[in-house]
Amino acid sequence: MARFLIVEARFYDHLNDMLIAGARAALEAKGHSVSVLTVPGALEIPGAISAASESGMYDGFVAIGVVIRGETYHFEIVAGESARGIMALTMDGFAIGNGILTTENEEQAIVRADPAQANKGAGAAEAAMALLAIQEKYA
């Protein structure tokens, strides 16, 4: 049994709830324990994962959030930099599944977040579990 931390940027409550439900169900189905940490926004997720990893309490992480395109360039910054931060941590050996949705509108986000549809929360959890298994194989 591994210990996973879901780090969520809570902005769209209903979407995050679906993503977390999917991630939690996938992790718990494999017998893993799950905790949730909420941060202000997607840009804070990599920093929170880095800080939480220093505790030694977690074996893997799932990043959860929703970034919907608006009328400004802010979307590109948040989407790109949060992904870059997560990728940098992954390259440093962290087992992280990236479940930060980047969509054009809320309708796309609902389809991706809903466990009965695309279930991207579960997909992110499965990615984190796969990376952890690879780490354990080559440790």
Side-chain angles (χ1 to χ4, degrees), residues 23-89:
R24 183 183 294 278
L27 293 165
E28 291 177 347
K30 298 293 185 181
H32 302 302
S33 67
V34 180
S35 299
V36 178
L37 174 66
T38 301
V39 298
L43 290 173
E44 289 74 40
I45 290 175
I49 289 172
S50 180
S53 73
E54 293 179 14
S55 73
M57 294 174 54
Y58 303 102
D59 303 301
F61 303 89
V62 180
I64 295 292
V66 180
V67 183
I68 297 176
R69 185 180 299 279
E71 297 176 2
T72 68
Y73 185 70
H74 186 67
F75 171 87
E76 281 81 7
I77 293 169
V78 173
E81 291 302 311
S82 62
R84 186 196 59 74
I86 290 168
M87 182 56 68
L89 292 171

